[in-house]
Amino acid sequence: MDGLRKIVGAFLRFERLEDSPVPLVLVATRLEDGAEEWLTEGPAIESVMASAALPGFYPVVELGGAHYFDGGVLDNVALPVALAASARRIFVLLCGTVETPSPPFSRPYEAMFAAFTMALQARLRRELASVPADVDVVVVELPGAVTFDPRDFSKTDELIDRGYRSARDVLDGYLLFSSARRPAHDPRVRLHDWVGKRRCPQGD
């Protein structure tokens, strides 16, 4: 936990969330009642640590008398947070894909991890399907299946490079799509149907 805290502290330029130069919302899971909480105020480092405290890897973090761990347990993307803020252009950066097939597993912890991932992906697909027509959602994802042992860091450079190239291609595609799209009120163009597949939906 100290290593993660050191990395977070090296990048933060403000001490409290409400002092962020741009509006910042972190999602954390409250241990006491299992509720999803949107953090907008409070100590920045502790709030980030609470939002990133993946169960089984990091200890829970206490904030204001309550205990928190990774908000991704309940909502890994937090589209509702952006929509609640009236965002009309949302960029989602995934460490995988929207529809990653479940890899073969033989150990109990692998089965639990696969089930957990499938649940998060199912929620994301439901939320993408319900995004309003006047909201752009661009999903950056790694193409194809990505299967690896999360304890193995030997492929770090390869995954970073793949992620960079995928993000570059998706953003280039989005720029082309934006320049050629119909007016925003035209329901035949729905960017979130595209979800980063490096192609633009075709209207009638």
Side-chain angles (χ1 to χ4, degrees), residues 72-200:
V73 170
L74 296 179
D75 192 353
N76 196 41
V77 175
L79 272 178
V81 178
L83 293 173
S86 300
R88 287 297 175 264
R89 180 181 299 172
I90 303 171
F91 293 86
V92 177
L93 178 60
L94 294 179
C95 296
T97 67
V98 176
E99 298 187 31
T100 301
S102 177
F105 50 80
S106 57
R107 298 179 177 87
Y109 83 88
E110 293 175 338
M112 293 176 61
F113 185 77
F116 174 62
T117 301
M118 291 171 64
L120 292 177
Q121 290 172 332
R123 172 167 180 168
L124 175 57
R125 289 194 296 269
R126 290 194 301 270
E127 291 180 345
L128 286 172
S130 63
V131 172
D134 61 342
V135 176
D136 288 356
V137 177
V138 181
V139 178
V140 178
E141 56 183 346
L142 286 177
V146 180
T147 57
F148 61 93
D149 188 334
R151 301 166 300 175
D152 179 11
F153 290 86
S154 64
K155 299 183 184 297
T156 299
D157 290 341
E158 174 189 343
L159 291 171
I160 290 175
D161 181 64
R162 288 180 61 188
Y164 168 78
R165 287 186 284 109
S166 178
R168 180 192 60 196
D169 292 346
V170 167
L171 293 177
D172 285 347
Y174 173 64
L175 290 175
L176 289 173
F177 174 78
S178 298
S179 63
R181 70 187 305 177
R182 291 184 172 86
H185 65 271
D186 190 331
R188 291 176 293 180
V189 175
R190 297 287 296 276
L191 183 63
H192 60 268
D193 291 336
W194 176 54
V195 291
K197 292 179 180 177
R198 288 183 279 179
R199 63 177 178 83
C200 299

Side-chain angles (χ1 to χ4, degrees), residues 14-33:
F14 46 89
E15 295 185 357
R16 298 185 62 82
L17 295 182
E18 57 266 37
D19 295 331
S20 172
V22 296
L24 177 62
V25 181
L26 301 176
V27 180
T29 301
R30 193 166 54 236
L31 183 61
E32 279 75 10
D33 57 3

Side-chain angles (χ1 to χ4, degrees), residues 1 27-37 39 46-47 49-53 55 58-71 73-74:
M1 197 71 166
V27 180
T29 301
R30 193 166 54 236
L31 183 61
E32 279 75 10
D33 57 3
E36 175 184 324
E37 186 166 333
L39 305 176
E46 292 304 315
S47 298
M49 298 300 292
S51 179
Y58 298 112
V60 298
V61 175
E62 182 176 355
L63 282 175
H67 298 82
Y68 298 89
F69 54 83
D70 192 347
V73 170
L74 296 179

